[in-house]
């Protein structure tokens, strides 16, 4: 008999942040699969598809930017794996650090690749 009685893993069990070692609870507002740290926004490359925990990579994923999603303007964090350079985007959670999110948004403005004076006229 082979109906699916695989041991169900508790996705909501939480994790320890790979970067700042914060104990991150699995449940948060606005997300079912919390996959990044609410303090430093780092993630970890564990999924091939969202929530499947099937990737053998396991390297830290650095937050590199913010995506504003249409049509409702919801924010997502763009993560890049520090080992294999894959890019993934993840919805922000209700308790993500607003300071850390804004720092991510401000990063290109703090280091413009062209003179900002030129865009006023
Ligand atoms: Zn962290
Ligand atoms: Zn990776």
């Amino acid at each position: 008999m082979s109906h699916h009685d695989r041991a169900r893993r508790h996705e909501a069990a939480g994790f320890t942040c790979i970067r700042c070692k914060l104990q991150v609870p699995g449940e948060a507002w606005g997300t079912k699969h919390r996959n990044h740290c609410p303090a430093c926004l780092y993630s970890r490359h564990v999924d091939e598809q969202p929530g499947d925990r099937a990737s053998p990579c396991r390297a830290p994923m650095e937050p590199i930017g913010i995506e504003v999603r249409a049509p409702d303007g919801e924010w997502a964090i763009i993560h890049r794996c520090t080992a294999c350079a894959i890019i993934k985007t993840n919805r922000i959670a209700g308790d993500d650090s607003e300071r850390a999110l804004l720092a991510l948004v401000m990063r290109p403005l703090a280091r413009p690749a062209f003179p900002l004076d030129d865009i006023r006229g």
Side-chain angles (χ1 to χ4, degrees):
M1 79 187 223
S2 66
H3 55 262
H4 45 100
D5 49 13
R6 283 218 244 136
R8 279 240 191 111
R9 283 167 306 162
H10 247 83
E11 299 296 353
F15 59 93
T16 301
C17 175
I18 197 168
R19 179 170 163 93
C20 73
K21 309 301 179 204
L22 184 74
Q23 290 288 331
V24 182
E27 301 282 355
W29 278 359
T31 183
K32 271 183 257 154
H33 296 292
R34 164 122 76 180
N35 49 23
H36 59 268
C37 173
C40 70
L41 307 179
Y42 266 68
S43 183
R44 196 172 180 190
H45 190 186
V46 293
D47 292 348
E48 300 283 0
Q49 301 299 322
D52 69 1
R53 302 294 187 267
S55 173
C57 182
R58 308 276 150 175
M61 295 190 74
E62 182 188 6
I64 58 169
I66 294 290
E67 174 194 12
V68 180
R69 291 187 173 172
D72 53 5
E74 179 180 84
W75 280 18
I77 300 170
I78 305 166
H79 282 111
R80 182 177 56 209
C81 181
T82 55
C84 69
I86 194 170
I87 302 266
K88 290 177 181 286
T89 59
N90 296 289
R91 280 174 62 175
I92 63 170
D95 59 352
D96 284 351
S97 163
E98 289 164 4
R99 174 188 281 259
L101 289 168
L102 287 175
L104 213 48
V105 173
M106 299 300 278
R107 194 183 289 177
L109 293 176
R111 300 192 56 186
F114 48 83
L116 295 181
D117 283 349
D118 291 354
I119 63 179
R120 276 195 224 130

